[in-house]
Amino acid sequence: MTINEQPSAAPEPTSEPVPEQAAPESARPVALITGVGRSIGIGAGIARQLAASGWEIAFTYWTPYDRRMEWGAEDGAAAAIAKQLADAGARTAAIEADLTGPDAPTRIFDEAEQRLGPVTALVLSHAESVDSGLLDTTVEAFDRHFAVNTRASWLLIREYGLRFRGEPGAGGGTGTGRIVALTSDHTVGNLPYGASKGALDRITLAAAHELAHLGVTANVINPGPVDTGWMNDELRTALTRGTPLGRLGTPRDTAHLVDFLCSPQGQWVNGQLLKSNGGAAS
């Protein structure tokens, strides 16, 4: 696994029932968060924080990804996360989505809008992440990483830009739209993940300029070493020693920064790649 893993690229029909909700008019803005597959993951932490800050939450997950990873799938995770968000006052839409399919972003936005309304903030927390290096990465794995981490992210951002109906910026600094993507600087021994995330960075930062006329800001966060269940004891110890603050990151650390960027107070931060990593050495 990787230093900045956001487990679960997020649909294949699922056996776990997630209650659907209607989409009445609401004063709360809607955030769409991808990669919310496990309750201890970064995506789930972001969802809980934004729900507490007054957002309605649509989120995607993809159970087959977690099943084939060493941590395994968390039974009932989507329903449990949806309940936590509802308890925080948010209406929710849990959408199982296989992001390897090029039509998935359109379907995700269709469902999110139908159930909750127009999306104001897009948070890209999904990832395909399977360790392999220069010599042992297969073409199939390389293509899958770029399909999920890069192409799907581009298509989600494009869909967001085509549909965004918030307050336009027009150079006045009053825009309301937000795009936040999670990235990684890990490439050694993890080539397809790191390379596809690097491409995601460029796409997101381009959006800061190309969507500025809509009143949309776009930023990238490198969350550093966050243990969401994938680290062994040796790696956990080494990474803790390499962080000046003497601890690993938590999903809440990342969530607080996302919350700020999505708030009115974060509107002036735009087109940035932010390291929220406790000073961890690369």
Side-chain angles (χ1 to χ4, degrees):
M1 198 46 233
T2 67
I3 286 186
N4 298 327
E5 176 263 344
Q6 299 98 45
S8 189
E12 163 185 282
T14 178
S15 57
E16 62 181 60
V18 180
E20 293 196 9
Q21 300 170 342
E25 290 297 323
S26 171
R28 293 167 61 111
V30 176
L32 170 59
I33 307 168
T34 61
V36 186
R38 299 189 302 147
S39 59
I40 64 172
I42 294 177
I46 293 170
R48 287 189 289 265
Q49 181 62 50
L50 290 182
S53 293
W55 292 77
E56 316 284 31
I57 306 294
F59 66 89
T60 72
Y61 63 103
W62 181 231
T63 304
Y65 172 75
D66 290 315
R67 284 203 190 102
R68 64 182 166 85
M69 303 304 288
E70 61 186 26
W71 52 78
E74 179 185 346
D75 292 338
I81 293 167
K83 183 180 184 305
Q84 291 172 349
L85 303 180
D87 289 345
R91 292 185 299 122
T92 67
I95 305 167
E96 186 163 30
D98 179 3
L99 292 175
T100 61
D103 60 340
T106 298
R107 189 183 66 78
I108 290 166
F109 269 88
D110 284 346
E111 187 166 348
E113 289 185 347
Q114 180 181 12
R115 294 170 62 180
L116 298 180
V119 173
T120 298
L122 172 63
V123 182
L124 302 174
S125 182
H126 66 273
E128 170 76 17
S129 181
V130 180
D131 293 353
S132 62
L134 281 166
L135 301 182
D136 61 339
T137 295
T138 66
V139 171
E140 178 187 11
F142 188 88
D143 288 348
R144 186 169 60 249
H145 278 80
F146 272 82
V148 173
N149 299 341
T150 307
R151 185 182 68 191
S153 297
W154 157 54
L155 291 173
L156 284 160
I157 290 172
R158 184 177 73 172
E159 200 69 31
Y160 174 83
L162 291 171
R163 299 181 187 228
F164 182 72
R165 301 197 294 273
E167 184 178 353
T174 58
T176 57
R178 300 289 187 269
I179 298 171
V180 182
L182 301 191
T183 191
S184 173
D185 55 12
H186 194 242
T187 53
V188 178
N190 204 3
L191 171 72
Y193 175 76
S196 58
K197 283 290 188 174
L200 163 65
D201 297 353
R202 302 303 97 186
I203 293 168
T204 306
L205 297 181
H209 298 270
E210 295 190 23
L211 302 183
H213 67 288
L214 299 175
V216 172
T217 65
N219 294 284
V220 183
I221 295 174
N222 184 336
V226 178
D227 184 7
T228 56
W230 57 272
M231 295 184 188
N232 59 35
D233 290 341
E234 181 180 359
L235 181 59
R236 190 178 294 109
T237 298
L239 291 174
T240 300
R241 288 174 178 168
T243 305
L245 293 180
R247 69 170 177 86
L248 297 173
T250 69
R252 290 189 64 185
D253 293 323
T254 306
H256 287 313
L257 181 53
V258 173
D259 190 29
F260 171 73
L261 292 174
C262 290
S263 72
Q265 291 76 21
Q267 196 275 337
W268 188 236
V269 183
N270 189 28
Q272 303 301 309
L273 199 169
L274 306 168
K275 291 189 175 182
S276 175
N277 62 5
S282 299

